[in-house]
Amino acid sequence: MIDAVGWYAAHLAVRSPRRLHFDFAAHRDASNLELLDVLEAAAATLAQVAVAAPPDARAFHNSGRADTCGFLAMGCDEILVHGWDAIRGLGGEFTPSADIAERVLRRLFPWVSVRTSPWQALLWANGRIDLPDQAQRSGPDWAWHCAPLDEWDGTVPHQKAHRHRAPASHHDAGPRS
């Protein structure tokens, strides 16, 4: 989460037309509390960059040239979905507000129809859960729609086969299960 959110902030800050090759990371010996502090700093950095960005700002992401709203939605998705992963791994439960889940879902997955709670639909769209009333997900090559919504052509996007993806990078393609 830290790397992805910080990576989004950096790309948007300089409006990079290509992938910047760096990692935004906490020190290896950081405690859990320190990791949360760094995640908060990465999220605040993305929020401040978004506030300062001009209305037409766009920058590189493997899923498309994201706009400010797209980067913010991807940052929220990273924190919500991977936060859910972590909390469940510790035996807890986490459910964000329906409003934020629906806003992220509508922005990044405009093709998904909500037949259940927006949070359940967002988890399904990210490959985390199965929903009996939804068709099969897009598969391992799914992509977000992070360009402005008015540029969505009505199809479900997929990662292009010719694009290089760094092996352990979440910020190249969207969260993976």
Side-chain angles (χ1 to χ4, degrees), residues 33-57:
L33 183 57
E34 290 167 328
L35 290 173
L36 289 173
D37 288 342
V38 177
L39 178 58
E40 181 180 9
T45 301
L46 177 57
Q48 290 301 312
V49 168
V51 167
D56 62 344

Side-chain angles (χ1 to χ4, degrees), residues 9-34:
H11 280 75
L12 183 59
V14 298
R15 294 185 289 285
S16 180
R18 64 187 180 289
R19 184 179 191 277
L20 299 174
H21 293 271
F22 80 98
D23 293 314
F24 187 106
H27 293 174
R28 290 188 184 275
D29 63 346
S31 69
N32 288 339
L33 183 57
E34 290 167 328

Side-chain angles (χ1 to χ4, degrees), residues 21-154:
H21 293 271
F22 80 98
D23 293 314
F24 187 106
H27 293 174
R28 290 188 184 275
D29 63 346
S31 69
N32 288 339
L33 183 57
E34 290 167 328
L35 290 173
L36 289 173
D37 288 342
V38 177
L39 178 58
E40 181 180 9
T45 301
L46 177 57
Q48 290 301 312
V49 168
V51 167
D56 62 344
R58 300 284 289 270
F60 174 85
H61 190 276
N62 268 6
S63 293
R65 289 194 37 85
D67 65 351
T68 301
C69 184
F71 277 116
L72 289 169
M74 289 186 294
C76 288
D77 191 83
E78 293 282 355
I79 292 168
L80 293 172
V81 174
H82 291 299
W84 179 82
D85 291 336
I87 291 167
R88 285 191 35 106
L90 296 170
E93 274 300 319
F94 168 69
T95 303
S97 74
D99 178 58
I100 189 70
E102 185 165 12
R103 292 173 74 182
V104 172
L105 180 70
R106 295 279 174 238
R107 181 58 185 80
L108 297 176
F109 303 97
W111 56 91
V112 173
S113 63
V114 178
R115 296 182 186 136
T116 183
S117 78
W119 176 234
Q120 295 294 304
L122 186 62
L123 289 172
W124 174 85
N126 277 277
R128 295 309 197 269
I129 64 171
D130 290 322
L131 292 176
D133 63 339
Q134 291 281 13
Q136 189 166 6
R137 285 184 301 273
S138 302
D141 66 340
W142 68 270
W144 285 316
H145 178 78
C146 58
L149 279 175
D150 63 2
E151 294 178 11
W152 182 51
D153 66 5

